[in-house]
Amino acid sequence: MELCLFEKERQHTIYQDVLQLLQEADQEFVPPLSSRSSATQQDFSGVSENSNGVLSYFEQLKQQRFIGALENGKLLGFVSFRENYQCREIPPEELPNIYISTLIVRPEARGKGVTIALYDRLFTEYRNSNIFTRTWSTNLAHTKILGKYGFVLFRSLPNDRGNGIDTVYFKKAKKQNP
């Protein structure tokens, strides 16, 4: 497996694969990606299926950076992220930071270390930044992985994604110099 941090001018080479992965994983997210307008959407109330599927989400995602896991030229998974992201939950005093917006691994590649490899590469590249991500409270598989990497709960928005489903923000503090 090859891990590649795609520079902006090279990202277009994986866009078709990224779009395919978004379409395949659409319904695995809460709410589905096809009901979102972007990867950084703040308000999940009243979301409904989009007539253009995941395309709105994808178009906004293309403005971010990508690390891809490739095997024989095939994209097994990717993590997308923004540098120095701010929103009402991540204030300016948390800069510099990296905000992980999306991580998807093909079903046939799951359980084979792809997620861990993607995170390891991201943490190596950005060890001097605070790293943030968010998910939903019932996404136990992902929160377990985040815990193993030292992410801690940073903010919780109760019932933000439906009754009993919170939006949860996690933070991994930057490495301190000895």
Side-chain angles (χ1 to χ4, degrees):
M1 175 174 43
E2 173 193 0
L3 295 169
C4 186
L5 172 61
F6 286 89
E7 298 302 326
K8 282 278 192 194
E9 58 276 356
R10 253 191 83 222
Q11 284 185 182
H12 70 279
T13 63
I14 61 164
Y15 283 161
Q16 278 308 115
D17 289 337
V18 167
L19 180 57
Q20 180 185 17
L21 279 173
L22 291 172
Q23 291 166 333
E24 290 172 4
D26 177 30
Q27 297 297 314
E28 295 176 15
F29 286 76
V30 175
L33 300 176
S34 58
S35 64
R36 302 182 193 192
S37 59
S38 76
T40 56
Q41 183 172 334
Q42 294 290 303
D43 183 5
F44 294 110
S45 62
V47 295
S48 61
E49 290 295 312
N50 235 319
S51 61
N52 65 357
V54 298
L55 289 178
S56 295
Y57 189 91
F58 173 64
E59 286 302 318
Q60 194 276 335
L61 198 68
K62 291 188 326 189
Q63 304 308 309
Q64 298 182 25
R65 304 282 313 275
F66 290 86
I67 295 175
L70 299 134
E71 191 168 75
N72 300 321
K74 182 178 181 181
L75 187 68
L76 300 178
F78 72 89
V79 60
S80 63
F81 57 95
R82 299 176 68 111
E83 296 171 309
N84 298 319
Y85 179 67
Q86 296 176 58
C87 64
R88 63 180 182 244
E89 284 76 26
I90 305 173
E93 53 269 16
E94 296 296 337
L95 296 172
N97 71 41
I98 296 298
Y99 174 72
I100 301 167
S101 69
T102 309
L103 188 145
I104 298 176
V105 175
R106 289 188 187 281
E108 64 271 17
R110 293 178 187 166
K112 297 180 180 175
V114 176
T115 296
I116 290 168
L118 289 167
Y119 272 141
D120 284 346
R121 177 66 188 267
L122 182 76
F123 300 152
T124 299
E125 292 286 335
Y126 294 98
R127 65 184 155 277
N128 295 322
S129 296
N130 293 317
I131 300 176
F132 291 88
T133 193
R134 73 175 177 190
T135 191
W136 56 96
S137 56
T138 57
N139 188 356
L140 302 180
H142 196 210
T143 56
K144 182 178 178 181
I145 291 169
L146 295 173
K148 285 183 180 181
Y149 275 110
F151 279 85
V152 295
L153 183 64
F154 186 73
R155 298 260 193 285
S156 181
L157 307 176
N159 300 315
D160 189 51
R161 298 187 188 216
N163 191 25
I165 306 173
D166 307 340
T167 294
V168 285
Y169 284 81
F170 289 89
K171 176 184 177 182
K172 179 177 174 57
K174 64 183 170 182
K175 295 266 188 207
Q176 300 299 319
N177 293 328

